[in-house]
Amino acid sequence: MGRKPIDPDSTRSGFMTLLLLGLASCALAYTIISILFRLGSNPSVFRSQSLELQEVGSRLTLDRENGECCRGIENLELWGAAVNWGSDFKLNSSVECCKACKAKCTGGQGPCLCDTWVFCGNKEACGPKFGECWLKKQKDAMAPERQDVGNKVTWTSGLIFGNGEGIVGLETDHGTLRVKLNPDCAPHSVAYILELLALRHCAGCHFYRAEGRGNSWDAKGNHIKDASFEPPFALIQGTLEAYGMAFKRIPTEICPTIRRGAVAWVGSGPEFFISLANHQEWNKAYTVFGSVLPQDMEIAEKIAQLPTRSEIWRNINVSVLENPVTLSIQRIKTSHEDRS
């Protein structure tokens, strides 16, 4: 399995410790083999392993390709003020419950009337509560309140972010990349990002690889006719593993065609990438959990032009940043939050 050698900098001991612990784990060995299999046809991202209007375009692309996303997390009960009482509102599926919440989130500039749905869909375990769909409103949807979690919990819960909501900033010295999160398509991934946000630091998070569009993709991310699909691969790649926070592999979620601005995991994380181009050739292999706002892609392009050195990972030429770009995660306030 090809791995990028660890640089002898201040992060060396932290990474090496994690690596040694990981190699001692049979579970991680299984994960490595799985990732190797999945990425066999896509070596290009293989490593050592007003806002309301601005973010709509990238979001619609994901929905059009996969149908309307309506996914939640099983064995999780989210709390919040009731908008619809489940005891009086029963539906046939979690998807219907999710769509009922979305129906209350179609307004223009204000916050969603419903940002949380909770459904009981196991007939045997739920008993008389079977089919109950609770529509709720969080005090803060970016820090949702949990009532209960675990295998004994019979509820499935999900979040909904409206236009201009659910946006985090990846802050770097070169500017802040604002990312619209997609909890209805990738709920487990977004839950992890919200945990990082609550941690109030992302020490260890950074970009380490940067490759521009070269002569293969135009400024809109479209592949140029007859151009090569060889390096550079039009992406910036990094890790979102923070020191002091145990990382749990993220299950595969919605894997659409990679579009310009897509933010996706490499395998099951914590390594991730931001695509600078449309990559139909990658065959829907990566979980996409967010999209960079279109007007912020110039920052990603700027990072992709920083000085790099050539390395070979798994017989593929890649461009590694001479100086990794550290990043932190911050909350981006919406216009209605500013008014409150």
Side-chain angles (χ1 to χ4, degrees):
M1 173 179 174
R3 284 189 176 272
K4 174 181 178 297
I6 298 172
D7 295 327
D9 57 17
S10 60
T11 64
R12 178 170 184 171
S13 60
F15 282 124
M16 188 62 77
T17 299
L18 290 173
L19 179 61
L20 292 175
L21 288 174
L23 292 175
S25 167
C26 292
L28 184 55
Y30 174 81
T31 301
I32 292 171
I33 295 171
S34 300
I35 292 174
L36 180 60
F37 178 80
R38 284 188 61 208
L39 295 180
S41 61
N42 294 300
S44 55
V45 292
F46 191 97
R47 186 204 184 194
S48 49
Q49 244 241 328
S50 93
L51 289 179
E52 287 82 354
L53 296 177
Q54 295 168 339
E55 50 87 9
V56 168
S58 56
R59 174 65 188 178
L60 289 178
T61 298
L62 189 63
D63 283 347
R64 280 198 300 266
E65 184 168 340
N66 298 283
E68 184 180 13
C69 291
C70 257
R71 299 165 65 97
I73 298 177
E74 296 181 352
N75 308 122
L76 170 66
E77 182 182 4
L78 292 177
W79 207 234
V83 176
N84 275 38
W85 286 70
S87 53
D88 302 321
F89 188 56
K90 294 194 174 186
L91 297 175
N92 294 321
S93 69
S94 61
V95 171
E96 290 184 12
C97 187
C98 168
K99 289 183 176 180
C101 185
K102 283 189 174 184
K104 296 181 179 294
C105 192
T106 58
Q109 305 302 313
C112 291
L113 298 178
C114 171
D115 55 27
T116 304
W117 57 270
V118 182
F119 180 76
C120 202
N122 185 316
K123 190 171 185 178
E124 181 178 346
C126 293
K129 295 182 182 295
F130 175 67
E132 287 190 6
C133 172
W134 290 78
L135 305 185
K136 302 181 179 183
K137 178 69 177 176
Q138 296 286 331
K139 291 181 180 178
D140 182 357
M142 298 291 278
E145 184 179 356
R146 292 184 177 185
Q147 172 68 4
D148 203 359
V149 63
N151 291 333
K152 294 183 179 180
V153 178
T154 59
W155 301 94
T156 296
S157 298
L159 291 174
I160 302 295
F161 292 148
N163 289 342
E165 299 180 315
I167 297 176
V168 297
L170 303 183
E171 188 176 31
T172 75
D173 290 339
H174 304 280
T176 298
L177 292 155
R178 290 170 294 177
V179 175
K180 168 73 172 183
L181 299 174
N182 301 325
D184 44 344
C185 294
H188 293 276
S189 300
V190 171
Y192 175 70
I193 299 301
L194 296 184
E195 287 181 27
L196 284 180
L197 195 64
L199 196 62
R200 298 186 181 278
H201 78 81
C202 200
C205 300
H206 63 283
F207 290 108
Y208 53 76
R209 178 184 178 187
E211 300 183 12
R213 291 177 282 105
N215 297 317
S216 296
W217 290 272
D218 64 22
K220 293 183 178 179
N222 299 313
H223 188 255
I224 297 171
K225 185 178 180 180
D226 297 328
S228 171
F229 286 103
E230 298 301 315
F233 290 109
L235 57 80
I236 57 176
Q237 187 172 335
T239 180
L240 287 174
E241 183 173 21
Y243 296 148
M245 180 177 178
F247 179 81
K248 299 179 181 178
R249 65 186 300 269
I250 294 171
T252 301
E253 301 186 281
I254 293 292
C255 297
T257 299
I258 297 297
R259 305 287 185 183
R260 176 175 167 82
V263 186
W265 297 117
V266 179
S268 298
E271 294 176 290
F272 78 109
F273 66 91
I274 296 173
S275 180
L276 307 181
N278 303 321
H279 285 290
Q280 290 87 350
E281 76 278 12
W282 286 352
N283 300 322
K284 301 183 178 182
Y286 306 104
T287 294
V288 174
F289 59 89
S291 300
V292 175
L293 300 194
Q295 69 276 18
D296 289 350
M297 284 302 294
E298 63 182 29
I299 299 171
E301 295 276 5
K302 185 189 304 183
I303 293 173
Q305 299 305 314
L306 294 174
T308 60
R309 65 178 183 274
S310 179
E311 291 190 5
I312 297 178
W313 300 348
R314 198 170 175 243
N315 297 320
I316 297 295
N317 292 322
V318 300
S319 297
V320 177
L321 287 165
E322 290 184 357
N323 297 298
V325 175
T326 59
L327 66 89
S328 61
I329 298 182
Q330 63 176 335
R331 179 176 184 150
I332 302 297
K333 287 189 175 182
T334 62
S335 56
H336 60 264
E337 284 179 319
D338 289 333
R339 291 194 296 267
S340 63

